[in-house]
Amino acid sequence: MDKKTEKLLIKKAKKLSKWYEGVFVNPIFWKVNEKPYYMAGFTVGNTPKATAYLTITGDEIKEEAYMAQAALSLMADSSKNIFTIGGERLRIDPAYYTSSLAIPVNSTESSITEGQTAFQQLWDVQQKFNQLTNEYQNFYDNLLIREQLTQSDIDYTIETANWMNLYQYETLSILLNQKNVLRVYSNYLMTTKEWKSLSKDQRIFVSEITQNMDRVKESLRSLALIEQDDPEKMIELNLEKAKIDLKQGIEKQQQYIRYPV
């Protein structure tokens, strides 16, 4: 967004703000009847309180603004969820997995080797998270340069958010269903001579990976995904569910539109 456009939109948004509110304008716009609409937000602290939909081309029209809100709010909410989940995953040091998996397993006990396999599966999902987050970050950086939001951008974002939830589901399911063998595996690692070569944080990660199972169960429930034995069917069903949930959420947000009314 060029400085002139930003200055004009901020000026218009500040006229709609309360004295104690912060104001921001998202640089991404959605075109309605060839008019670019931008989303302005009003916050108290870091908490959003309301939005306004503004254009630099003529006057704002309520019907147009609501069409822009459906696209811009959906994009903002979905991308925020992606960066929140993906950002948390990126902060996990890969060495937490790789250093532990590098320790050889010199045992034929099935529960130990099964635990190692489960730990490897967790690492595989972690890599999927990292790749997906980095790919989406690159996409979003290019969108910020391009600025105009399209339907294909929204579709890609919803699909990415759905995959994030599915990867969350996969991780939590492994932890819950394989907790016993993961515990056996972590206990085995503690007996090896290589254990002390791991950093303190790496040892904590391995030794505590099967703790807080109640929290894992609650996180799994809160995802509220449709479970299916057929992976492709599960992906499809949850993508449709995500679209419905997002649409309902966007409709609820309309009560917080400050302008135009």
Side-chain angles (χ1 to χ4, degrees):
M1 180 188 294
D2 61 74
K3 292 294 183 182
K4 182 179 178 181
T5 299
E6 182 182 15
K7 185 176 180 180
L8 175 60
L9 291 171
I10 288 291
K11 182 179 180 180
K12 293 178 76 171
K14 283 185 175 180
K15 292 179 179 178
L16 304 166
S17 67
K18 297 177 172 58
W19 66 268
Y20 53 83
E21 291 178 330
V23 175
F24 71 88
V25 174
N26 194 310
I28 297 170
F29 65 86
W30 178 264
K31 273 193 173 183
V32 183
N33 296 329
E34 296 305 310
K35 290 165 62 176
Y37 273 84
Y38 296 83
M39 180 175 72
F42 308 94
T43 60
V44 177
N46 293 321
T47 305
K49 294 297 181 181
T51 56
Y53 296 87
L54 310 171
T55 183
I56 56 172
T57 308
D59 296 326
E60 291 81 7
I61 299 172
K62 181 178 179 179
E63 290 74 17
E64 292 180 345
Y66 273 60
M67 293 172 67
Q69 181 261 348
L72 294 171
S73 292
L74 194 155
M75 184 66 184
D77 290 352
S78 298
S79 59
K80 180 181 178 181
N81 288 339
I82 292 169
F83 288 130
T84 297
I85 297 172
E88 290 175 353
R89 290 288 176 169
L90 283 177
R91 285 194 289 272
I92 298 175
D93 187 345
Y96 286 177
Y97 290 101
T98 57
S99 295
S100 301
L101 288 167
I103 297 176
V105 173
N106 298 315
S107 173
T108 57
E109 186 177 337
S110 61
S111 57
I112 295 175
T113 55
E114 288 172 14
Q116 183 187 42
T117 299
F119 196 79
Q120 177 66 56
Q121 290 172 340
L122 290 172
W123 170 226
D124 291 342
V125 181
Q126 174 67 27
Q127 292 177 85
K128 292 177 185 177
F129 267 114
N130 293 351
Q131 181 179 350
L132 193 63
T133 304
N134 288 328
E135 287 176 352
Y136 189 78
Q137 183 66 68
N138 289 335
F139 155 80
Y140 197 81
D141 289 343
N142 288 327
L143 176 59
L144 289 175
I145 295 171
R146 174 165 39 96
E147 295 187 359
Q148 182 175 353
L149 181 65
T150 67
Q151 186 60 48
S152 63
D153 297 327
I154 294 173
D155 292 341
Y156 173 67
T157 297
I158 294 174
E159 290 174 7
T160 301
N162 187 49
W163 276 110
M164 281 284 182
N165 284 334
L166 291 168
Y167 290 155
Q168 284 278 72
Y169 173 87
E170 190 174 356
T171 297
L172 296 169
S173 295
I174 293 170
L175 286 171
L176 190 59
N177 299 330
Q178 303 292 324
K179 61 181 182 296
N180 291 333
V181 292
L182 281 167
R183 190 173 294 123
V184 172
Y185 174 63
S186 65
N187 288 338
Y188 170 80
L189 291 180
M190 295 178 203
T191 67
T192 65
K193 67 179 187 299
E194 293 88 355
W195 176 250
K196 291 184 179 179
S197 67
L198 300 182
S199 70
K200 180 181 177 181
D201 287 341
Q202 290 167 3
R203 293 197 300 269
I204 290 172
F205 180 80
V206 173
S207 61
E208 295 185 356
I209 197 166
T210 55
Q211 292 185 7
N212 298 319
M213 283 298 109
D214 288 340
R215 184 177 175 184
V216 170
K217 290 179 183 177
E218 180 55 35
S219 296
L220 198 56
R221 280 195 297 269
S222 67
L223 284 175
L225 295 184
I226 301 171
E227 299 185 53
Q228 283 280 326
D229 293 333
D230 183 344
E232 291 187 5
K233 188 66 175 177
M234 185 170 175
I235 294 167
E236 179 185 342
L237 288 173
N238 282 288
L239 181 58
E240 290 306 310
K241 180 179 181 297
K243 291 178 180 178
I244 293 170
D245 291 344
L246 285 166
K247 183 179 178 181
Q248 292 174 344
I250 298 308
E251 288 173 352
K252 290 179 181 178
Q253 289 181 20
Q254 289 180 352
Q255 63 183 302
Y256 302 109
I257 295 177
R258 188 168 292 173
Y259 181 83
V261 293

